Amino acid sequence: MPASPEAFFLPATTAAGGQRFCLYHPAQGASRRGSVLYIHPFAEEMNKARRMAALQSRTLAQAGFAVLQIDLHGCGDSSGDFGDATWHGWIEDVLQGCHWLRERHGKEGSQANVPLWLWGLRSGCLLAADAARQLGEPCNFLFWQPPAAGKPLLQQFLRLKVAGDLIGGQAKGVMQALRQQLADGAAVEIAGYLMAPGLASGLEQSILVPPTLMAQAQRVEWFELTTREDASLSPVSTQTMGQWQQAGFQASSHIVQGPAFWQTTEIEDAPALIAATTAAVSSD
Amino acid sequence: MDINKEVRRILDEVLSLNGRSVAFTSDTPLLGAIPELDSMAVVTLITTLEEQLGLVVDDDDIDGATFATFGSLTDFVSGKLNS
């Protein structure tokens, strides 16, 4: 029987201010095996992925991990509008989430030195890597469908506007106009989300490069979902993961059968991903 | 690669059609006829085609005619893969 998570507002200590909506799933069982911070993906993908994030968080809590889910600035139930959010501000939110987990860990009096995992989905993986560079302590990474870079994610997001206009009948030149608007320092409105230039540029420049190794045996568990039977890691993922291995990380890749739940039309489950993730994180 | 089969599978996955795409013929209308194919689904479809079939779609390629029917979409994909 899973315990219910604690919902609360975390006052932001960052320049953006306001408060961040958080869900904390305390670790169940006698000893905590680790702390996990979930970093959600971008815009509509965050909403589509809510159910899977909640299911995985509960399962990890049952397996002895303390999990914090934080809604980043301007997202979900946190303060601010999406249009106020910047990439830099989101990194600060991630860092604050890490600090909160560490403090809470101390208060709960669990044994020291359990690993901190940064668990990202899609653009959340990029934020995890960017935040880890400023964290000042070693952490492990749990990547769900990590992009090698933010640039294609931005293009995909801008294409929503093109596709919307396509259905309305006129799509030519829309992309160029959007990019010009951002370059001029103006926000663009896409699929109901106002996107500030500071978010677009941060996302576009972010690449999934490893931070400096801070301890022995820092781990990366890399998951990709597929509906094909004979799937293997894509060439770009193989190359990116190789960079993490070269940097000294213990990286393992996992190809799991399941739908791309962060973008499917219906809200879908990928139970194989939850089982494989819990097994990977729990293994020593 | 069986392009027809791959495009059918990707459509089914992206639009959560639960196997309805099996009945698609080249004349089956898509854009404007399948309610699941909204702007977000169009983008997901393009991205999934790019990622899984290894083709590159230019922004200028995103045209209503491409997504008009199942046949026009498979023609577009074959054209991209053969170019």
Side-chain angles (χ1 to χ4, degrees), chain A residues 15-102:
Chain A
Q19 50 191 13
R20 305 290 174 268
F21 178 75
C22 293
L23 274 177
Y24 178 61
H25 306 258
Q28 292 170 48
S31 66
R32 189 197 285 204
R33 307 178 68 176
S35 303
V36 182
L37 180 72
Y38 172 66
I39 308 161
H40 63 69
F42 188 70
E44 205 53 33
E45 292 186 357
M46 174 203 185
N47 296 327
K48 300 247 181 191
R50 261 190 195 284
R51 178 175 160 77
M52 275 296 289
L55 290 174
Q56 182 69 71
S57 298
R58 283 180 218 158
T59 310
L60 282 172
Q62 283 174 288
F65 291 87
V67 185
L68 181 67
Q69 294 179 257
I70 184 168
D71 285 1
L72 302 172
H73 183 219
C75 300
D77 291 313
S78 288
S79 314
D81 290 328
F82 194 80
D84 302 328
T86 63
W87 191 255
H88 177 69
W90 281 357
I91 291 171
E92 292 188 319
D93 287 349
V94 171
L95 291 170
Q96 201 186 342
C98 293
H99 298 151
W100 186 90
L101 271 169
R102 192 200 295 138

